[in-house]
Amino acid sequence: MTEELDAGVVAQQIAESGQLSEPDSTREVGKARRRKEDARLLAGRTTWTDNIQLPGLLHVAFKRSPMAHARIVGVDVSAARDMPGVVAVFSGQDVADEQGSLPCAWPVTEDIVIPDHPPMAVREVRYPGEAVACVVATDRYLAADALDAIDVDYEPLPPVLDMAEALTEASPKVHESGNRAFTWTFAQGDIDAAFRDAPVLIDRTYVQQRLIPTAMEPRAVAATTDGESFTLWSSTQIPHVLRVMLALTTGIPEHRLRVVAPDVGGGFGSKLQVTAEEVLCLLLTRRLGKPVKWTESRSEGNLTVHHGRDQVQHIALAAEADGRVRGVKVELLADMGAYLMLVTPGVPLLGAFMFNGIYKMDAYSFDCTGVFTTKMPTDAYRGAGRPEATYAIERVMDELAAELNLDPIEVRRRNWIRHEEFPYTTIAGLTYDSGNYEAATEKALSLFGYDKLRAEQSDRRDRGDPVQLGIGVSTYTEMCGLAPSRVLGSLSYGAGGWEHGSVRMLPTGKVEVVTGTSPHGQGHETAWSQIVADSLGVPFDDIAVVHGDTAISHKGMDTYGSRSLVVGGMAVLRACEKVKEKARRLAAHTLECSPDDLEFSQGAFKVKGTESSKTIQELALAAFAAHDLPEGVEPRLDADATFDPENFSFPHGTHLCAIEVDTETGMARIRKYVAVDDVGHVINPLIVEGQVHGGLAQGIAQALYEEAVHDAEGNLLTTTMADYLIPTAADLPDFVTDRTESPATSNPLGVKGVGEAGTIASTPAVVNAVVDALRPHGVHDIQMPCTPERIWRAIR
Amino acid sequence: MPRIAVTVDGIRYEEDVEPRLLLVHLLRDRLGKTGTPVGCDTSNCGACTVMLDGKSVKSCSVLAVQADGSDVVTIEGLATAGTMHPMQRAFHEEHALQCGYCTPGMVMAAIDLLREDPDPSEETIRHGLEGNLCRCTGYCNIVRAVRRGAQSMGQAVTTP
């Protein structure tokens, strides 16, 4: 109880200091602290996995399928084995008995089909780029040379590319069991009644194109063994989860396996995976008794890093004549790709509870079928399920506004949950704990100059200006802070959603914080230090945060789903509270008073009404020396804690996009983008703003630029950065960002998470703007990405 | 195997290299200069940008033999006497990096951009950095950092 109370006090203090307008110089939380992580990254003193050099290190390269679907008739590796520098060459068949099957941790239904997924294909390849053999050589160039000497005999099989066709009887099969992986349904309220005689009915089909996550650091894996214990370095977001899953997959005992995520150059969900290459590097070091390393090329990565999105969404909305929504009906086809990877089937489920958005309604139904195709498996990509859902509801709300000739803000206002109605249990069964959609919207409208831009739009329409102006609205929310373990359990996920933190006061008064989260750009070292500095009253610079190595960070659930601060930051705060509680007992003993007579302020325990005090650093030394400890108090001033949230957190906000569309060329150019986000209390506004910027860029990229394209044979055409266009600095505008703060009530820090908000909100804002520009031309949808060609064709 | 002589961050190296060896692999695998990363294989991303005789190049598209007799500066050689280059400091101050993987190339490209235009507009910066991709920042803070770096470098030049 004491812990919780103390955490509450800290939260209150954080709440008071979290306002940017009134910074409190004595508090770290709320300050725009420049990041601790930067110095080494800016100096090039980094430890990317590919930097790792070990004595006798061997280099691994993979022979990959040039076809989407084929039977492997034979693999001849004999010539490759004779190439210079080659140590070993193995086909899938050569490791068939040892390689196991890549895991899927989220069997969403009891009858889900989870096909065997060998790390290297043995009998059949089912997506382009699937590994069929590997070379181990003394040098990365020689390994690449030897790949060319491997002769694979394929018997082509028909590709399976279109989900709807895949579900027909006549379709070729990806797996013998058929192309349906699962069907998952959810319904609440009387959906038939909602749609019966509805004055307004909107019925749309949207395509969530397949995306390639494209973290800047390509994946890399290194592995070594002393014959008994194994160490694996990987460019991963999930060292802890990976250790468990690799132990289960390879049979290496978990206590003999150490997994390290060194510096990791971005992830966005793409490194939330257990990959074939990780399994095979462990297997190769076990077989050869030498350290091995594999680093992918970008082209390899575009083919074989799991892809994101890829859904066909059928959404129907029934409304009253005044625009009030009665109900929403969703039918999804979700492309699983060829196999179910770590959380592949769970991704659309994360969207299942979000298609109602921020709106009140009487009924909702959701029906999702996961479909196998001969493409790279899909899995988590920034937002994972929620961007897809948000896109559909925010697009269809605009359609409703257009149908009723209402302003899109007005139609939202008539439907959203009002400020005074929180906490509010939605039709999808989630309880949104806090939010203020009115405040965020008002702020956004004002920053945007909404009325003025609407007037300009009207003027351009009247003049028949070839450059039309469109205004796009997105009033989003999302569920993040993954997640309450009991909820994950109820959704058949294979693990929990808690997080762990350790806080160790060292004898010299410095503080070592161990977090179970695994940052790869998010700035946890800085933000966690700010939390600890305030809680323990020690200087920011006296705190080090370590992470990402299972030998150092024993427990953790890693970083994804905007969970790190909400769950991991809370675990660290809880550990601080335990440390302080222990320090209080020690201080009372030393100062010869009752613990209740002590007040803690600015890092020192003081006997109330006296000058007698001890700093927490002094107590750390006393706890180390252990010369005079009170009864029952163990040496060292440190503590472990875990936090398991009672609810998700629900960031929300209002995004507005003004876009100029040249009706003669089809070119769309964002003129102004305003994002007002409510992510609860803010630990570091600089980091929060950076997360929003990056999220916006990725969401805008889906709207305008990016798409994984396959040809009719199922070959991926966008295998390089010259073909798969992630935006450059010249493609994006400056962003106007601001915040409102409705603290989360599900954690004492009042924080909600910010990693995915920008991506979730921005895609519909941009497409709504493009469509808004073209409504006078009779356009009510443009398929993403809204390329000049698609826009140009839509007008004609 | 050709022998080349190349100076990297102030140290002169003589190396026997295969003609096909890329400069970036010479730097990373042979000289231990792992501060310069590789982000793609089509010279689109710019992560591997270094200075070759004072001009920025993508070191994945230069052969090591082409650098024979040249002076190379990588991100590791930018700081002087333990003090960050003004552009490095500007990136830190403006929070212009998150994962940091594109950062070495971005900083080198930014410095090269200022060689041609010491006081670039936002638009000039955005177009000037088109060859360097970042997936984390959305570029806003990078643009701000380059502006700030330009200002402090301008001051550094004019201050006696």
Side-chain angles (χ1 to χ4, degrees):
Chain A
M1 246 351 259
T2 314
E3 272 170 55
E4 290 200 15
L5 284 174
D6 279 357
V9 170
V10 169
Q12 183 56 39
Q13 290 161 344
I14 284 164
E16 286 159 7
S17 66
Q19 310 294 333
L20 259 185
S21 49
E22 297 170 51
D24 174 352
S25 62
T26 67
R27 293 261 152 220
E28 282 294 338
V29 166
K31 264 191 205 167
R33 267 279 184 188
R34 270 56 183 170
R35 297 196 319 168
K36 290 186 166 183
E37 291 86 344
D38 289 357
R40 71 169 189 278
L41 296 169
L42 279 162
R45 292 182 181 174
T46 36
T47 46
W48 312 114
T49 299
D50 184 60
N51 296 6
I52 289 167
Q53 294 291 347
L54 297 163
L57 181 70
L58 300 174
H59 296 262
V60 180
F62 290 96
K63 183 80 174 174
R64 297 186 179 278
S65 169
M67 294 182 197
H69 197 193
R71 188 164 295 119
I72 299 171
V73 179
V75 182
D76 183 356
V77 300
S78 53
R81 285 196 173 124
D82 293 336
M83 298 280 286
V86 171
V87 175
V89 186
F90 300 111
S91 67
Q93 185 65 53
D94 294 332
V95 295
D97 296 340
E98 196 181 338
Q99 65 176 345
S101 180
L102 293 175
C104 172
W106 204 335
V108 295
T109 60
E110 280 186 12
D111 62 351
I112 188 172
V113 176
I114 302 182
D116 188 50
H117 187 182
M120 281 204 294
V122 179
R123 284 184 293 278
E124 201 168 311
V125 289
R126 297 185 172 90
Y127 65 88
E130 188 168 0
V132 292
C134 64
V135 170
V136 187
T138 54
D139 169 289
R140 66 170 99 215
Y141 284 53
L142 297 176
D145 289 346
L147 288 184
D148 291 339
I150 298 174
D151 187 18
V152 186
D153 189 5
Y154 294 102
E155 179 190 318
L157 295 169
V160 180
L161 303 172
D162 179 86
M163 287 191 279
E165 278 177 34
L167 292 175
T168 61
E169 277 296 314
S171 173
K173 288 182 170 60
V174 182
H175 299 279
E176 278 173 21
S177 50
N179 297 334
R180 183 188 299 267
F182 67 90
T183 296
W184 192 91
T185 59
F186 174 86
Q188 191 76 26
D190 190 340
I191 197 74
D192 292 334
F195 276 75
R196 197 177 304 128
D197 307 323
V200 186
L201 195 61
I202 312 278
D203 204 321
R204 295 284 186 271
T205 298
Y206 297 125
V207 177
Q208 287 285 327
Q209 79 270 34
R210 180 173 276 250
L211 299 177
I212 301 177
T214 320
M216 286 311 297
E217 184 205 13
R219 288 177 303 159
V221 183
T224 190
T225 180
D226 60 9
E228 193 172 31
S229 294
F230 292 77
T231 302
L232 178 104
W233 294 265
S234 181
S235 176
T236 180
Q237 296 173 224
I238 54 160
H240 297 92
V241 173
L242 189 58
R243 183 193 194 200
V244 179
M245 300 315 291
L246 285 173
L248 292 170
T249 305
T250 63
I252 293 169
E254 191 181 348
H255 64 299
R256 296 290 186 201
L257 177 60
R258 172 186 172 199
V259 175
V260 186
D263 282 329
V264 175
F268 315 111
S270 73
K271 294 171 182 174
L272 162 52
Q273 195 51 274
V274 179
T275 67
E277 295 82 1
E278 288 161 336
V279 170
L280 290 162
C281 281
L282 276 178
L283 189 151
L284 291 168
T285 199
R286 180 164 67 185
R287 278 201 175 189
L288 302 170
K290 300 277 186 201
V292 300
K293 182 168 79 178
W294 167 77
T295 303
E296 78 183 354
S297 69
R298 179 62 60 183
S299 315
E300 236 182 336
N302 277 21
L303 282 164
T304 65
V305 172
H306 71 241
H307 292 170
R309 315 281 189 261
D310 208 341
Q311 296 180 352
V312 175
Q313 311 172 304
H314 182 195
I315 181 166
L317 179 145
E320 306 289 356
D322 64 0
R324 276 180 299 141
V325 176
R326 285 178 164 199
V328 166
K329 207 169 2 181
V330 175
E331 286 169 27
L332 278 193
L333 293 181
D335 194 335
M336 303 285 100
Y339 301 96
L340 302 183
M341 296 193 73
L342 192 63
V343 298
T344 302
V347 170
L349 263 63
L350 288 171
F353 308 98
M354 289 275 105
F355 277 92
N356 51 305
I358 63 169
Y359 310 113
K360 295 178 283 189
M361 59 190 73
D362 303 325
Y364 169 59
S365 75
F366 176 86
D367 180 312
C368 171
T369 295
V371 184
F372 291 116
T373 59
T374 54
K375 296 180 186 172
M376 179 66 207
T378 55
D379 208 312
Y381 172 53
R382 203 169 191 170
R386 291 105 77 211
E388 296 92 319
T390 304
Y391 180 81
I393 184 67
E394 287 303 297
R395 282 286 297 112
V396 94
M397 288 304 279
D398 258 35
E399 295 304 305
L400 176 62
E403 179 78 20
L404 296 173
N405 204 21
L406 285 171
D407 186 285
I409 297 283
E410 179 55 28
V411 84
R412 286 168 170 80
R413 205 173 260 143
R414 289 182 189 181
N415 284 288
W416 70 38
I417 300 157
R418 293 192 313 273
H419 179 50
E420 62 273 17
E421 291 175 301
F422 287 93
Y424 183 89
T425 300
T426 72
I427 192 69
L430 295 175
T431 301
Y432 295 176
D433 62 332
S434 72
N436 191 334
Y437 307 142
E438 295 91 339
T441 302
E442 282 314 312
K443 201 172 217 178
L445 291 173
S446 156
L447 287 167
F448 191 67
Y450 189 77
D451 295 338
K452 205 170 160 201
L453 284 164
R454 279 284 179 212
E456 181 186 330
Q457 175 183 50
S458 170
D459 179 54
R460 287 192 193 225
R461 282 180 182 175
D462 292 346
R463 281 190 286 120
D465 192 329
V467 179
Q468 288 289 311
L469 185 68
I471 294 170
V473 180
S474 169
T475 50
Y476 77 100
T477 188
E478 58 147 329
M479 55 189 265
C480 69
L482 303 180
S485 297
R486 66 181 166 79
V487 175
L488 292 178
S490 73
L491 293 171
S492 310
Y493 181 58
W498 51 267
E499 194 46 83
H500 183 259
S502 297
V503 173
R504 305 173 188 151
M505 294 282 310
L506 304 176
T508 56
K510 308 294 184 190
V511 185
E512 192 168 57
V513 178
V514 184
T515 179
T517 62
S518 194
H520 39 282
Q522 293 87 345
H524 297 179
E525 292 171 33
T526 303
W528 285 203
S529 293
Q530 290 177 272
I531 294 170
V532 172
D534 281 1
S535 179
L536 298 183
V538 296
F540 176 79
D541 290 328
D542 283 354
I543 301 158
V545 179
V546 295
H547 53 78
D549 180 345
T550 60
I552 294 169
S553 169
H554 298 129
K555 296 181 230 173
M557 294 302 292
D558 309 315
T559 287
Y560 44 86
S562 303
R563 70 186 305 274
S564 293
L565 175 61
V566 182
V567 194
M570 268 309 303
V572 167
L573 179 61
R574 282 279 164 85
C576 287
E577 295 304 329
K578 285 189 180 177
V579 163
K580 275 198 298 196
E581 204 42 46
K582 184 170 180 180
R584 180 183 291 273
R585 292 177 64 190
L586 190 53
H589 178 72
T590 311
L591 296 169
E592 297 178 335
C593 65
S594 153
D596 296 338
D597 293 336
L598 291 169
E599 56 190 13
F600 184 72
S601 172
Q602 297 188 335
F605 288 96
K606 187 161 165 264
V607 184
K608 286 174 194 163
T610 75
E611 289 307 306
S612 180
S613 74
K614 282 278 174 196
T615 68
I616 199 161
Q617 281 100 339
E618 289 171 325
L619 294 165
L621 183 61
F624 165 73
H627 296 163
D628 181 20
L629 298 178
E631 186 70 25
V633 171
E634 293 178 13
R636 297 306 296 261
L637 192 49
D638 49 22
D640 283 18
T642 56
F643 183 74
D644 198 336
E646 64 190 39
N647 192 0
F648 296 94
S649 56
F650 301 97
H652 73 81
T654 298
H655 287 212
L656 297 169
C657 175
I659 203 158
E660 288 179 358
V661 180
D662 187 328
T663 55
E664 289 171 351
T665 65
M667 199 66 159
R669 193 182 68 85
I670 294 176
R671 190 165 109 192
K672 187 164 193 181
Y673 196 102
V674 171
V676 175
D677 296 291
D678 191 325
V679 296
H681 286 320
V682 165
I683 305 297
N684 184 324
L686 195 73
I687 291 175
V688 165
E689 189 188 35
Q691 286 289 319
V692 171
H693 286 171
L696 293 178
Q698 275 170 306
I700 291 168
Q702 177 174 14
L704 297 179
Y705 304 119
E706 296 179 15
E707 180 171 30
V709 181
H710 294 80
D711 69 11
E713 278 77 50
N715 300 301
L716 181 69
L717 300 179
T718 49
T719 56
T720 73
M721 282 182 155
D723 305 301
Y724 188 86
L725 302 178
I726 74 168
T728 72
D731 296 322
L732 294 170
D734 199 20
F735 303 123
V736 179
T737 61
D738 206 336
R739 297 195 313 271
T740 55
E741 287 195 15
S742 311
T745 62
S746 54
N747 66 76
L749 283 169
V751 296
K752 295 181 177 177
V754 68
E756 295 158 300
T759 306
I760 291 167
S762 56
T763 310
V766 173
V767 177
N768 279 342
V770 171
V771 173
D772 185 56
L774 301 177
R775 285 210 192 266
H777 293 263
V779 173
H780 67 78
D781 191 33
I782 293 184
Q783 193 177 313
M784 296 187 291
C786 302
T787 58
E789 184 188 342
R790 283 188 180 151
I791 291 172
W792 188 85
R793 286 186 189 282
I795 301 169
R796 272 144 194 97
Chain B
M1 228 185 260
R3 166 159 287 224
I4 62 164
V6 58
T7 301
V8 180
D9 296 335
I11 297 173
R12 188 182 146 88
Y13 298 87
E14 288 193 11
E15 292 284 321
D16 295 324
V17 298
E18 271 194 275
R20 65 174 177 169
L21 184 71
L22 299 176
L23 176 58
V24 70
H25 288 141
L26 173 77
L27 294 172
R28 290 182 55 78
D29 295 348
R30 298 277 286 272
L31 308 183
K33 289 281 179 184
T34 51
T36 301
V38 181
C40 73
D41 45 14
T42 47
S43 72
N44 288 94
C45 83
C48 65
T49 304
V50 299
M51 295 291 181
L52 182 66
D53 295 327
K55 289 185 186 171
S56 70
V57 295
K58 292 177 178 177
S59 60
C60 73
S61 48
V62 176
L63 295 168
V65 290
Q66 291 175 291
D68 186 20
S70 292
D71 186 61
V72 175
V73 179
T74 78
I75 191 76
E76 296 172 59
L78 269 191
T80 47
T83 304
M84 275 191 196
H85 186 280
M87 192 59 78
Q88 288 171 307
R89 173 139 308 272
F91 269 63
H92 175 61
E93 289 295 333
E94 294 290 349
H95 184 37
L97 64 154
Q98 290 180 29
C99 83
Y101 199 79
C102 76
T103 307
M106 200 66 83
V107 168
M108 301 312 265
I111 293 169
D112 197 40
L113 177 72
L114 298 185
R115 205 169 47 84
E116 307 209 333
D117 183 350
D119 186 24
S121 67
E122 178 183 337
E123 200 186 347
T124 306
I125 295 168
R126 286 185 177 275
H127 284 279
L129 294 180
E130 250 182 326
N132 290 74
L133 299 175
C134 169
R135 193 59 156 168
C136 294
T137 64
Y139 303 104
C140 291
N141 291 349
I142 290 176
V143 173
R144 288 171 199 168
V146 178
R147 288 286 309 147
R148 179 194 278 257
Q151 281 158 12
S152 49
M153 284 168 73
Q155 281 167 6
V157 171
T158 54
T159 305

